[in-house]
Amino acid sequence: MKIVADGNIPFVRECFSSVGDVEVMGGREMTPEAVADADALLVRSITRVDERLLSGSAVKFVATATIGFDHVDLDYLDARHIGFASAPGSNATSAAEYVIAALLEIGRRHGIRLDGRSIGVVGVGNVGGRVAAKCEALGMHVRRNDPPLQRRTGDPKYVPIEAVFDCDLITMHTPLTREGTDKTHHLADERFFSSLKQGAVFVNASRGAVVDSQALKAAIAARRLKAVALDVWENEPNIDADLLDAVDLGSPHIAGYSLDGKIAGLIMIYQALCEHFGLPAKFDVGDFLPAPDVATIELPDDVGDEQEAIASAVEKVYTIVRDDRNLRSIAGEPSEARGQFFDALRKGYPVRREFHNTTVVVPEPGGALVRKLLGIGFKVKGRRREDDV
């Protein structure tokens, strides 16, 4: 069996070599010629999988090591009886932790206390649901907007989009859909931004085209927004350098790039391929995850500011300002080379682990600080062994 795989999927050769011959290449290098004789194709979000790519090929199975699949023409695969798998939920914790890191960093820069603030979570699936839970753990008042979930469940906790407009913070977690009742393409448009509360904080870690970049730039220029964090951009990898210059935090579509999430996605599509072709699966997640670099964080006896203590703990595990600084280096590249620079940041992304790999040692085993740390994903224990939480 020949397997063509995106080289940005970690350990893809080591894992899939147990079931076939693996050819690794860049996601943007996957041309019809490159995949023509492959039996299976393993991609990430930058590869568009459709008739143009697969027509006349030998491909019998496609998998994307991502939670979203708007880059895959499922109708075409179904019509050609080509098997398909994705990795729902695999990097959801990673993306949710990215949002928490962004909110804490923005809180630092702008003197915003998160406890007691309102936040609108637009899209409450695998990622948005985790974001909502973590924000509630930090003491925030969460309003959830997800029309499909509201229709499916009838649960009144899902509110109309208008109900989030007066929130202090807004974070986007929808898939990208370009038509239909729940179209999300340019969901955050001029009307959206003009409806927001003056001085709101805006975060997008879903898909770039969920936001109308021109409308967002206009809202920033008009000082309607206090702060903006973007992990995703329209027209990636050729992103709007002026928009990057205008936002508080920018990163190269890496919110879901924790090693834990990548390995979970790897194993999900590996097991799906094995099942599709009737092969035994040799590996599991534990075969590829190393011990964390930051296993323990000790907080001082006098914690003082709880939000700053949490921000400091998060920063030791994931330094979001480093991603921002690295992406801003794109301004020094010739305009024609910026797309390659953006892709290189993603391909060479350093190892990042999720919060659950780290234990925070606190002076006291109970209280709000412990609840918040546990709620955003850390393990926690008291200073003395008998005080374990």
Side-chain angles (χ1 to χ4, degrees), residues 67 91-93 95-96 99 121 123-132 173 205:
I67 61 177
N91 66 355
T93 295
V99 173
V121 179
V124 197
N126 278 318
V127 176
R130 286 169 170 80
V131 169
H173 301 288

Side-chain angles (χ1 to χ4, degrees), residues 142-375:
V142 178
R143 298 181 195 172
R144 296 164 169 84
N145 167 250
D146 195 310
L149 269 178
Q150 196 282 326
R151 291 196 301 270
R152 192 179 313 140
T153 66
D155 194 324
K157 74 179 179 183
Y158 300 116
V159 300
I161 190 76
E162 292 76 13
V164 307
F165 287 159
D166 65 344
C167 286
D168 300 309
L169 307 97
I170 307 285
T171 181
M172 310 294 287
H173 301 288
T174 70
L176 177 62
T177 54
R178 296 182 179 272
E179 53 189 35
T181 304
D182 300 307
K183 183 182 79 167
T184 62
H185 179 257
H186 284 187
L187 174 62
D189 56 10
E190 183 179 0
R191 172 185 170 274
F192 177 96
F193 288 114
S194 64
S195 301
L196 295 186
K197 179 178 182 177
Q198 179 69 35
V201 172
F202 180 77
V203 178
N204 186 21
S206 58
R207 287 289 188 264
V210 167
V211 175
D212 181 336
S213 297
Q214 298 307 312
L216 176 55
K217 285 198 291 186
I220 295 171
R223 300 186 183 279
R224 289 200 54 81
L225 301 170
K226 181 179 287 290
V228 175
L230 296 181
D231 178 58
V232 289
W233 311 78
E234 286 197 282
N235 305 313
E236 291 178 15
N238 302 304
I239 70 172
D240 185 329
D242 291 334
L243 179 56
L244 172 60
D245 188 54
V247 304
D248 292 70
L249 289 171
S251 50
H253 200 155
I254 48 70
Y257 262 37
S258 72
L259 183 61
D260 305 72
K262 288 182 176 182
I263 299 301
L266 168 80
I267 295 302
M268 288 175 76
I269 63 171
Y270 168 69
Q271 292 176 345
L273 180 144
C274 289
E275 182 178 350
H276 180 81
F277 288 105
L279 302 170
K282 179 180 177 182
F283 297 117
D284 206 339
V285 170
D287 294 308
F288 297 101
L289 277 177
D293 287 338
V294 183
T296 305
I297 296 170
E298 291 247 3
L299 296 185
D301 288 335
D302 181 15
V303 168
D305 186 331
E306 283 189 357
Q307 182 167 310
E308 177 55 32
I310 295 168
S312 178
V314 167
E315 187 176 44
K316 286 180 172 63
V317 176
Y318 171 43
T319 309
I320 194 171
V321 294
R322 181 173 54 204
D323 285 337
D324 176 70
R325 183 171 60 250
N326 289 343
L327 181 57
R328 290 185 193 280
S329 298
I330 203 170
E333 298 293 318
S335 57
E336 66 274 11
R338 289 176 180 172
Q340 290 181 329
F341 183 86
F342 185 91
D343 280 346
L345 287 177
R346 303 184 78 213
K347 183 175 183 180
Y349 193 67
V351 170
R352 175 174 125 220
R353 301 303 300 274
E354 293 175 3
F355 300 166
H356 64 84
N357 296 290
T358 300
T359 298
V360 180
V361 181
V362 297
E364 299 293 337
L369 176 60
V370 168
R371 290 196 300 273
K372 290 176 180 180
L373 287 166
L374 289 170

